[in-house]
Amino acid sequence: MESKRERVEDEGLKPESKKKRLDEDSPPFPPPDSIANPLSGLANNYADIDEEEDYERRARVTISGEKNDGSLKNGHGYEEDDSDEDDDSRDQPFGGRNSRQVEVRKDCPYLDTVNRQVLDFDFEKFCSVSLSNLNVYACLVCGKYYQGRGKKSHAYTHSLEAGHHVYINLRTEKVYCLPDGYEINDPSLDDIRLVLNPRFNTREVELLDKNKQWSRALDGSSYLPGMVGLNNIKETDFVNVTIQSLMRVTPLRNFFLIPENYQHCKSVLVHRFGELTRKIWHARNFKGQVSPHEFLQAVMKASKKRFRIGRQSDPVEFMSWLLNTLHADLKTSKKNTSIIYECFQGELEVVKQIPNKGITSKKENSEDQNNIEKLSDGGTERDAFLTETSKMPFLMLGLDLPPPPLFKDVMEKNIIPQVPLFNILKKFDGETVTEVVRPHIARMRYRVTRLPKYTILHMRRFTKNNFFVEKNPTLVNFPVKNLELKDYIPLPTPKENEKLQSKYDLIANVVHDGKPGEGFYRVFVQRKSEEQWYEMQDLHVLEVVPHLVALSETYMQIYEQQEQ
């Protein structure tokens, strides 16, 4: 039989035409630079993506989203090139000549080999051999991830070498038997699908705060849905306490438990946060803890490694960044609103007084003269201030702690001062003056003009200078129930037919233990179904009595507005 190259030479074509003719006759191989791992090409070329999987990949806008140029972004934020897919499916997006009908069977002799004890779907969905995240299957016998299921794929090879025959596609949730290649349709595998991708309906979400039933893990231990521990991967306790605190905010939790609420969003961070929320509140987990590994990977990418595994960070900074980023990703183009603003956004009136040292004469124009306030102690015009009044939205309020005493008591021990929360809340009464030096020297007065449904307070415990970070050990005395803000800060008069809702209950309290830069974070959270408090530090979840919540160095709190 005449080869392609011999046929081209016989036709006497020019070299350029020869190359073009060869390209047309040759099968479309992926370009070499698209293969990140030297082993990934093996599985990519023989991934055997069937018609239905390929159709869903190209037709649906899932977590990865679809760009205008047709390329996809996977759940980890990496761009996927069509060259990584099966050769034929690239030219014929709905299966092409490589598509085939897959046999579906209800009976499989290998179902008894499935080992749920080793299954862990909390980590990134990468093939353990090729390190590719395309068309990845989990072996339900050993728990490892492999790519593809074609005859030259890593999953197929593993099934022959190890004798493991049951595999689940981590995206489509279909289960296959290899090397036979048929699909398994058995209801006994539904619990695995629910652990891989937990689901909630509206009725289940409404009953979450009424559920008092404990769940049982495969190892026999009991856990409360929503009160599961989070793995500290490496100095990620600042993330864990933030997540555990936000899980107590009912509207935020309910929003992320239903993926349809944010299916239009293409942000990987939003979808990873939703997945983590569903895993924390899932009542049929195989184990009593969750690893936020995939969420942390999304955080590192979205924050450009400002927050990353292996480096301790401030939970207040992380909370601020996370809320603002989620809002920016969730808000619609028409309205600057989101579930984040609906829960946490309030408004402040800020009166800013800037020293006007440049005034030397009373002969000033009337416009400038109206902005000048003289000091009440009889100061000269050089000591006058220019006043600016503005409205400013906020997601959290920072409270200043009084400086700790410099002297020791008669027992030669440092005095640990205490301050009531009401005293430091006076910062927002509209009269107390706060001196600031950055970005320039000014006197500030703050007044709350709109209260949010959930108020986040953080105590400024840490101060930085050119040499070290200093921690203020002052204890803050605060109420766990019935914090009435109108008794301590003036609030705006409500509109007609509206009641002033200014009474709050504590739902989360983050504390810091140890020296600055060396300590660790833990959080006290309330379970609403039984109004019981729990102390959570990474994987440790311990029931505590309410009065212990206020006996620690509180750093950040979330208060919930009472419904009247």
Side-chain angles (χ1 to χ4, degrees):
M1 182 176 179
E2 186 181 26
S3 67
K4 285 183 264 185
R5 183 171 298 276
E6 290 173 349
R7 190 173 73 239
V8 172
E9 291 176 352
D10 291 341
E11 292 174 356
L13 298 177
K14 295 181 179 180
E16 295 81 2
S17 301
K18 292 181 182 179
K19 184 178 183 303
K20 182 178 180 181
R21 181 64 175 272
L22 284 170
D23 291 341
E24 291 175 351
D25 291 344
S26 300
F29 289 101
D33 57 354
S34 67
I35 301 176
N37 186 287
L39 297 176
S40 62
L42 176 65
N44 289 338
N45 291 338
Y46 299 96
D48 253 357
I49 300 177
D50 62 27
E51 180 177 353
E52 183 175 358
E53 293 176 22
D54 195 59
Y55 177 86
E56 290 176 354
R57 173 187 168 277
R58 298 174 184 273
R60 295 191 322 174
V61 178
T62 59
I63 173 178
S64 56
E66 189 165 11
K67 302 198 299 182
N68 294 331
D69 59 358
S71 61
L72 291 175
K73 265 194 173 182
N74 59 41
H76 307 277
Y78 307 124
E79 292 189 5
E80 296 176 3
D81 195 337
D82 281 343
S83 61
D84 287 334
E85 296 290 350
D86 186 88
D87 297 336
D88 297 322
S89 63
R90 179 179 59 182
D91 292 336
Q92 302 180 31
F94 300 107
R97 66 172 182 262
N98 194 44
S99 63
R100 67 193 185 284
Q101 292 295 328
V102 179
E103 180 187 3
V104 180
R105 291 172 53 177
K106 293 185 178 180
D107 58 322
C108 178
Y110 303 110
L111 286 181
D112 59 346
T113 64
V114 174
N115 185 4
R116 289 168 174 79
Q117 298 279 359
V118 300
L119 300 183
D120 190 347
F121 301 122
D122 290 345
F123 294 92
E124 289 185 291
K125 311 302 190 292
F126 281 95
C127 173
S128 58
V129 179
S130 67
L131 303 182
S132 172
N133 57 352
L134 298 174
N135 204 31
V136 179
Y137 292 77
C139 174
L140 298 185
V141 181
C142 65
K144 294 182 179 180
Y145 295 167
Y146 295 99
Q147 186 182 22
R149 56 184 176 85
K151 291 186 177 181
K152 294 186 180 180
S153 66
H154 299 303
Y156 189 94
T157 303
H158 178 70
S159 69
L160 295 176
E161 292 179 347
H164 298 170
H165 302 289
V166 188
Y167 297 79
I168 185 171
N169 187 295
L170 295 178
R171 188 182 61 81
T172 65
E173 302 176 17
K174 292 182 178 181
V175 181
Y176 296 91
C177 177
L178 298 181
D180 297 345
Y182 59 84
E183 181 182 347
I184 305 172
N185 182 16
D186 192 292
S188 66
L189 300 172
D190 289 345
D191 62 331
I192 297 177
R193 294 188 177 95
L194 286 177
V195 172
L196 172 61
N197 183 19
R199 298 171 179 84
F200 292 84
N201 56 43
T202 305
R203 178 64 176 168
E204 291 172 337
V205 171
E206 292 174 353
L207 296 177
L208 277 180
D209 289 334
K210 299 178 182 179
N211 177 36
K212 299 181 180 180
Q213 185 176 359
W214 288 65
S215 297
R216 186 173 295 275
L218 292 179
D219 61 359
S221 61
S222 299
Y223 69 92
L224 281 168
M227 292 291 168
V228 298
L230 296 177
N231 279 332
N232 185 342
I233 297 177
K234 190 178 181 183
E235 297 186 17
T236 56
D237 52 334
F238 72 97
V239 174
N240 292 348
V241 295
T242 303
I243 295 301
Q244 296 287 17
S245 301
L246 292 177
M247 291 298 103
R248 313 310 132 195
V249 181
T250 303
L252 183 72
R253 177 202 67 188
N254 294 352
F255 176 86
F256 280 99
L257 286 177
I258 308 295
E260 288 75 16
N261 292 333
Y262 48 93
Q263 62 183 358
H264 66 281
C265 181
K266 298 181 180 181
S267 167
V268 177
L269 181 69
V270 168
H271 288 274
R272 290 289 177 260
F273 185 80
E275 290 175 4
L276 183 58
T277 303
R278 295 196 300 276
K279 289 179 179 180
I280 289 175
W281 285 94
H282 186 45
R284 286 180 282 180
N285 284 326
F286 291 161
K287 48 188 173 46
Q289 69 268 354
V290 174
S291 176
H293 188 269
E294 285 191 288
F295 174 72
L296 286 168
Q297 295 294 331
V299 166
M300 287 196 295
K301 183 172 181 62
S303 67
K304 298 179 180 178
K305 295 189 177 181
R306 175 184 173 186
F307 304 101
R308 64 173 183 259
I309 298 173
R311 189 178 72 180
Q312 183 68 274
S313 296
D314 191 325
V316 171
E317 293 181 6
F318 179 69
M319 174 75 83
S320 177
W321 173 86
L322 180 62
L323 294 181
N324 282 285
T325 305
L326 290 176
H327 165 73
D329 293 341
L330 286 169
K331 69 178 181 180
T332 59
S333 57
K334 295 181 180 180
K335 297 180 180 179
N336 186 27
T337 185
S338 68
I339 186 63
I340 305 298
Y341 275 15
E342 292 174 9
C343 292
F344 301 107
Q345 190 185 50
E347 188 180 68
L348 286 176
E349 180 184 79
V350 182
V351 179
K352 184 177 183 180
Q353 295 177 318
I354 305 173
N356 192 2
K357 299 180 180 179
I359 300 178
T360 56
S361 173
K362 293 184 179 181
K363 295 181 181 181
E364 304 289 346
N365 59 56
S366 58
E367 183 177 354
D368 290 338
Q369 196 69 26
N370 291 334
N371 292 328
I372 298 177
E373 282 188 9
K374 290 186 178 180
L375 296 178
S376 58
D377 59 357
T380 64
E381 284 189 77
R382 289 182 177 274
D383 299 320
F385 290 85
L386 289 177
T387 303
E388 300 176 359
T389 303
S390 60
K391 295 289 183 70
M392 182 179 69
F394 69 87
L395 293 179
M396 61 175 63
L397 296 174
L399 304 178
D400 301 316
L401 298 176
L406 300 177
F407 304 101
K408 298 182 178 181
D409 61 9
V410 293
M411 302 297 294
E412 291 298 320
K413 294 182 178 180
N414 288 325
I415 301 173
I416 300 179
Q418 301 184 32
V419 60
L421 177 63
F422 318 116
N423 287 4
I424 56 180
L425 276 174
K426 291 180 179 178
K427 175 181 178 179
F428 300 99
D429 62 4
E431 298 179 0
T432 302
V433 175
T434 303
E435 302 281 351
V436 299
V437 295
R438 293 180 180 178
H440 45 72
I441 298 176
R443 302 172 64 187
M444 312 289 287
R445 294 201 301 266
Y446 306 97
R447 185 172 69 89
V448 177
T449 56
R450 188 178 78 247
L451 286 171
K453 294 179 181 178
Y454 292 84
T455 300
I456 304 177
L457 305 177
H458 74 91
M459 321 302 165
R460 302 184 189 275
R461 289 200 175 275
F462 301 102
T463 55
K464 298 180 181 180
N465 55 35
N466 294 332
F467 304 100
F468 56 88
V469 178
E470 186 178 7
K471 179 183 177 181
N472 189 328
T474 302
L475 295 179
V476 179
N477 299 322
F478 55 88
V480 175
K481 285 278 190 181
N482 301 320
L483 171 63
E484 182 57 88
L485 291 181
K486 71 177 182 181
D487 294 342
Y488 307 100
I489 57 177
L491 297 174
T493 304
K495 299 179 182 179
E496 294 184 5
N497 302 324
E498 289 186 3
K499 292 183 179 180
L500 180 61
Q501 295 179 319
S502 58
K503 190 173 289 187
Y504 287 79
D505 294 332
L506 184 70
I507 58 174
N509 181 37
V510 176
V511 302
H512 179 267
D513 298 312
K515 298 179 181 179
E518 300 178 4
F520 56 88
Y521 297 97
R522 53 194 173 96
V523 61
F524 295 93
V525 298
Q526 186 191 42
R527 180 174 170 83
K528 290 186 178 180
S529 62
E530 49 195 7
E531 295 189 353
Q532 178 62 51
W533 282 90
Y534 291 85
E535 177 187 345
M536 309 183 78
Q537 182 182 346
D538 299 329
L539 293 177
H540 302 285
V541 181
L542 179 65
E543 184 177 328
V544 296
V545 292
H547 73 268
L548 291 179
V549 177
L551 296 180
S552 52
E553 297 178 358
T554 180
Y555 187 45
M556 181 170 59
Q557 300 175 324
I558 301 182
Y559 279 90
E560 181 182 38
Q561 193 177 63
Q562 289 185 0
E563 296 182 1
Q564 298 178 354

